[in-house]
Amino acid sequence: MKNNSNEHIIRPPKGLVDIDLPEIWRFRELLYVFAWRDIKVRYKQTFVGVAWAIFQPFITMVIFTVIFGRLAKVPSEGAPYPIFVYSGLLFWNYFSGALTAASDCLVANESIVKKVYFPRLLLPVSTAVTPLIDFAFAFLILVGMMIYYHFTPSLLGVVMIPVLLLISLVASSGLGLFLAAVNAKFRDVRYVLPFSIQILMYVTPVIYPVSIIPPKYQWLIFLNPMTGVINCARSLLLHTGAMDWTQFLISTAVGFGLLILGVTYFRKTERFFADIL
Amino acid sequence: MDKPIIEINGLSKKYQLGEREPYYSLRDEITRILKFKRPTKSREDFWALKDINLSIKQGEAIGIIGRNGAGKSTLLKVLSQITPPTTGTITMRGRVASLLEVGTGFHPELTGRENIFLNGAILGMGRKEIKRNFDSIVDFAEMGQFIDTPVKRYSSGMYVRLAFAVAAHLEPEILIVDEVLAVGDAAFQKKSLGKMEDIGKQGRTVIFVSHNMTSIQALCKKGVWLDKGRIVEIGDMSTLVANYIEHTVNNPNAHGGDNGPLVIKDVCLKNSAGHKTTDYRPGDDLTVEIHYNAREKVVYPSFWIAVTSHYGPMFMASMLYDGSTPTHLQGKGIITCTFPKMPLLPGLYGLQMGVRAQDISEDIVPTREIGLFNIIGDMKDAGFAGANADQMLGNSTKLVIPYQWSLPNGEPRRFQIRSRTIK
């Protein structure tokens, strides 16, 4: 019948709570269910549906090419502007999509958070999945463009793609977790975030290369975890210049730092979500 | 298992009233800081639960009763780990599933089938478990062909049936249920109650909160009465219910509504001879005598009284329907309502009342339980001499209005509950 492993004590919260990985493993099916739900709902009753994942970055690239590439003549480090900007857009779209979804996940699921117990971490983690699918489709376009422009990526480049995606996931999840917890209490986040993401795009080398920034200020832009990602992608896939690994590591470290910050803050406030939502 | 399956020790839960604002905005917070306002220390501490000590043995079905705001739902939330305790500990020795709401997580765009998996998973059922029970769930909900339509197209009845069907198939060791049975039509409510009874019989531990005194008595032998966050009494369910009703009826400040202009001072049940009693026979007259005090002039108060059973309201008297609302009431007085020849078979019934304002969406006196009464006797007394009549009584409708059979051979046969009231 019952044994001691079923015994479970509920106490008032004290101090920093660590991540209860065994518990998350126990609830892993729910994680799949949340992700599955988001995907299903996304594509139900849509006409464009899947195609949107391709249209949006493609059309954005076209517009940016005309305005920034042709008219404003922004340099593109040797590669044709369209593929230059698209490589940035690809990862940026993942980041902004995942960030937006993660920061809203608690409020969007308010009713279940208030009625059912499950480790709340499951929600923001599940929101990382749909943007991954969008990334996969958008990535196909990149492949198409590389073929069109006769680019062969280095082997390192191909290997690094999942790594870069992982860093984007880490950065967006970290910031997303933090914002999700803040959003539960301060609803401004939902309104401030879209604007902030727009601004953030301009401090990320999506439209322009890192090289147009004077070298002694470049470290500033590398504090943005996505800078490292995008710069590395361009360097290895489009051969736009030698990789500065130090800068890349700084960027990545900030990304992981955000993750730690996000998880800590989230876990600290998690117990009270049902009360403050 | 000798150790109790749930042990609650010194449990208290505090809310700070300041935090109960619906929305907090950063702008407000920043403005407050800039203006050097201290965080409002005058935030009242509201103890939703205080010093709760309770021990529940495996297989017990416990009912929790109390007025609105007594802390019942908070207790369930803490037990379900949705909100943490402020002090105290709770030891649970079994898998818990909580039903605090019907259809938790249902997404309108998904089909019934998809929502079964979604809702089941949210409630804690594994995928295999859901698959195993899938057909049973669809049968219980009587969904059949609609299972592949998006839930947003369902009627509210269908929605609720499906939601409850999923929940009814939970197989935890400890089940926590919050008033979810008050949904659906009478037939479905009956089914739901039956299922809850089965769960109890299977030896699972059930903690149940409801305002329906008759259904809570049917399900639970032991009860806990909460008031203002504290335990008033723990004990036998029927005694508890009787005490609770007596307390709420006789205590003028008991309900929020009683601070209003119209106070219900007492309610008594009388039979046709004018004696106060809670025991009646089938077909007897029932008179409900309401002693009120209108401390200020109250305009157009519409009284209603409903007789309820296990499954919900059976019939009622409503001034809103019949138009006999008085133009005004002032001072003390008595309003009585008589239900002649009640068409009820033997069993336990409840009474509810309320008073609606001229604006019918508002209550002058909110819905409240005002008592219980018994119809005693056996089916023969009631005029039903069928061979299995007494056995069937437990499982069937208790309301019987006059009817007549016409069989292929012979005279029409008329039946109604036999009234012994001498007129």
Side-chain angles (χ1 to χ4, degrees):
Chain A
M1 274 229 289
K2 273 155 288 314
N3 51 30
N4 275 337
S5 70
N6 257 332
E7 183 168 303
H8 177 70
I9 304 184
I10 304 175
R11 283 183 220 285
K14 247 190 188 81
L16 271 184
V17 210
D18 50 36
I19 307 183
D20 192 347
L21 281 174
E23 190 185 43
I24 298 199
W25 180 252
R26 253 188 299 131
F27 278 89
R28 68 190 180 282
E29 278 197 39
L30 190 55
L31 179 59
Y32 306 149
V33 167
F34 281 144
W36 165 82
R37 172 196 64 175
D38 290 343
I39 295 169
K40 273 246 144 176
V41 170
R42 180 73 128 60
Y43 296 123
K44 284 234 176 206
Q45 276 205 311
T46 55
F47 177 69
V48 178
V50 176
W52 180 247
I54 300 179
F55 278 175
Q56 194 261 352
F58 190 81
I59 305 235
T60 313
M61 168 202 69
V62 168
I63 296 181
F64 281 2
T65 304
V66 171
I67 305 216
F68 296 108
R70 295 275 160 77
L71 298 178
K73 296 210 186 358
V74 173
S76 56
E77 291 179 337
Y81 193 83
I83 200 171
F84 172 84
V85 82
Y86 192 84
S87 57
L89 275 175
L90 179 68
F91 287 96
W92 176 255
N93 279 342
Y94 173 81
F95 177 81
S96 62
L99 181 60
T100 309
S103 59
D104 209 43
C105 70
L106 288 178
V107 174
N109 287 286
E110 184 175 332
S111 55
I112 34 178
V113 172
K114 289 176 105 116
K115 299 282 179 184
V116 182
Y117 177 71
F118 57 87
R120 309 309 187 192
L121 263 179
L122 253 45
L123 277 173
V125 171
S126 71
T127 60
V129 177
T130 317
L132 277 176
I133 297 182
D134 291 346
F135 178 90
F137 285 114
F139 185 73
L140 294 175
I141 300 282
L142 183 69
V143 171
M145 288 177 87
M146 286 181 74
I147 295 174
Y148 178 78
Y149 285 111
H150 307 296
F151 274 103
T152 354
S154 61
L155 186 62
L156 182 61
V158 174
V159 165
M160 279 302 276
I161 292 171
V163 176
L164 295 177
L165 190 54
L166 178 69
I167 299 171
S168 310
L169 189 148
V170 161
S172 59
S173 299
L175 197 51
L177 279 166
F178 178 78
L179 288 176
V182 172
N183 200 10
K185 193 169 186 186
F186 297 106
R187 299 304 168 88
D188 308 67
V189 174
R190 273 179 146 177
Y191 305 108
V192 172
L193 189 66
F195 166 73
S196 309
I197 287 185
Q198 278 197 321
I199 301 285
L200 257 183
M201 190 185 79
Y202 293 112
V203 296
T204 313
V206 179
I207 306 173
Y208 54 84
V210 176
S211 44
I212 65 170
I213 300 177
K216 65 174 174 170
Y217 294 120
Q218 277 183 7
W219 66 276
L220 275 171
I221 205 176
F222 274 100
L223 288 180
N224 179 341
M226 291 310 289
T227 305
V229 167
I230 292 175
N231 207 38
C232 179
R234 286 177 178 154
S235 167
L236 296 179
L237 296 175
L238 308 179
H239 311 292
T240 51
M243 262 291 293
D244 183 336
W245 291 99
T246 325
Q247 289 175 323
F248 175 74
L249 282 169
I250 296 174
S251 218
T252 307
V254 173
F256 279 90
L258 280 175
L259 182 65
I260 296 173
L261 170 79
V263 171
T264 314
Y265 187 73
F266 190 91
R267 287 293 286 171
K268 194 154 171 274
T269 50
E270 186 178 342
R271 297 256 230 153
F272 298 98
F273 287 158
D275 294 336
I276 58 182
L277 271 170
Chain B
M1 144 138 339
D2 44 343
K3 283 202 196 139
I5 199 168
I6 301 180
E7 259 181 275
I8 306 177
N9 286 312
L11 171 67
S12 303
K13 171 76 187 170
K14 175 174 78 167
Y15 284 109
Q16 287 183 298
L17 284 187
E19 266 161 45
R20 285 171 137 216
E21 276 159 21
Y23 284 90
Y24 230 164
S25 91
L26 267 173
R27 193 192 59 181
D28 294 342
E29 186 88 324
I30 292 173
T31 319
R32 208 195 67 216
I33 295 172
L34 287 179
K35 287 192 181 163
F36 294 114
K37 284 195 199 146
R38 302 262 106 220
T40 30
K41 280 251 159 88
S42 61
R43 272 188 206 170
E44 271 166 65
D45 281 346
F46 171 67
W47 290 92
L49 292 171
K50 199 97 172 67
D51 291 325
I52 306 287
N53 293 293
L54 184 59
S55 219
I56 300 174
K57 296 205 262 304
Q58 193 221 333
E60 278 191 309
I62 308 262
I64 305 188
I65 61 175
R67 296 170 11 224
N68 286 333
K72 311 187 292 294
S73 295
T74 309
L75 179 58
L76 294 192
K77 275 194 193 169
V78 177
L79 287 173
S80 310
Q81 282 190 264
I82 287 169
T83 184
T86 309
T87 66
T89 59
I90 303 175
T91 309
M92 315 272 269
R93 297 189 177 94
R95 192 171 87 137
V96 178
S98 297
L99 258 189
L100 302 188
E101 178 191 64
V102 158
T104 313
F106 263 40
H107 198 291
E109 296 289 337
L110 301 178
T111 65
R113 179 186 300 268
E114 289 162 342
N115 270 305
I116 289 178
F117 282 96
L118 177 58
N119 188 226
I122 288 175
L123 289 175
M125 291 168 86
R127 199 182 160 78
K128 290 199 193 104
E129 206 182 328
I130 301 174
K131 267 198 182 150
R132 200 181 357 117
N133 286 319
F134 190 84
D135 292 328
S136 177
I137 292 173
V138 176
D139 279 339
F140 190 95
E142 297 158 21
M143 278 285 123
Q145 67 210 111
F146 298 110
I147 203 69
D148 285 305
T149 334
V151 157
K152 65 183 180 184
R153 309 228 183 276
Y154 284 8
S155 68
S156 55
M158 290 162 76
Y159 184 102
V160 134
R161 287 208 305 269
L162 185 62
F164 191 83
V166 179
H169 286 78
L170 284 170
E171 293 163 358
E173 280 131 5
I174 304 169
L175 182 63
I176 299 178
V177 184
D178 190 352
E179 299 195 80
V180 290
L181 295 184
V183 291
D185 61 20
F188 191 73
Q189 280 187 37
K190 178 179 160 177
K191 214 169 161 184
S192 316
L193 208 77
K195 187 76 192 190
M196 297 260 79
E197 284 173 8
D198 287 342
I199 292 179
K201 285 184 199 137
Q202 279 163 12
R204 301 188 199 282
T205 312
V206 181
I207 302 176
F208 185 50
V209 164
S210 178
H211 276 292
N212 187 328
M213 294 297 138
T214 37
S215 57
I216 214 171
Q217 279 203 344
L219 278 177
C220 310
K221 296 238 165 14
K222 184 166 156 193
V224 175
W225 174 8
L226 284 181
D227 192 49
K228 295 201 183 69
R230 291 173 191 271
I231 295 186
V232 177
E233 199 181 325
I234 303 179
D236 168 64
M237 197 73 226
S238 352
T239 327
L240 218 63
V241 168
N243 292 344
Y244 168 70
I245 289 182
E246 204 191 302
H247 176 87
T248 43
V249 166
N250 293 330
N251 195 332
N253 292 320
H255 273 256
D258 284 357
N259 287 327
L262 183 65
V263 172
I264 307 296
K265 297 213 74 94
D266 190 18
V267 177
C268 17
L269 307 179
K270 293 188 175 168
N271 63 15
S272 47
H275 300 311
K276 247 173 106 159
T277 177
T278 53
D279 289 337
Y280 296 81
R281 283 166 316 170
D284 276 359
D285 296 357
L286 171 70
T287 299
V288 181
E289 212 175 71
I290 303 173
H291 298 243
Y292 67 86
N293 181 7
R295 304 193 292 209
E296 302 156 15
K297 181 169 165 181
V298 177
V299 282
Y300 294 109
S302 298
F303 284 70
W304 61 267
I305 301 175
V307 168
T308 65
S309 76
H310 241 80
Y311 316 130
M314 298 237 99
F315 56 81
M316 70 183 212
S318 167
M319 290 183 180
L320 288 169
Y321 280 175
D322 59 40
S324 43
T325 309
T327 42
H328 69 273
L329 289 178
Q330 193 158 18
K332 297 192 182 165
I334 303 178
I335 285 183
T336 68
C337 179
T338 304
F339 294 98
K341 303 194 190 160
M342 283 190 295
L344 295 176
L345 292 173
L348 177 67
Y349 297 91
L351 276 168
Q352 286 180 349
M353 72 163 278
V355 183
R356 291 247 171 183
Q358 199 170 4
D359 173 356
I360 56 176
S361 61
E362 272 189 33
D363 285 324
I364 298 178
V365 176
T367 309
R368 57 202 290 179
E369 302 275 335
I370 49 176
L372 297 173
F373 64 93
N374 288 305
I375 304 266
I376 51 182
D378 59 33
M379 292 296 273
K380 264 221 184 106
D381 286 343
F384 292 91
N388 300 315
D390 288 296
Q391 277 167 298
M392 287 310 294
L393 186 57
N395 297 332
S396 323
T397 324
K398 300 220 167 105
L399 179 68
V400 179
I401 62 172
Y403 63 89
Q404 169 178 304
W405 291 106
S406 257
L407 297 171
N409 50 332
E411 301 259 306
R413 309 187 69 198
R414 284 183 203 92
F415 294 97
Q416 64 184 71
I417 291 187
R418 195 197 301 173
S419 165
R420 290 167 202 270
T421 310
I422 306 152
K423 278 278 183 277

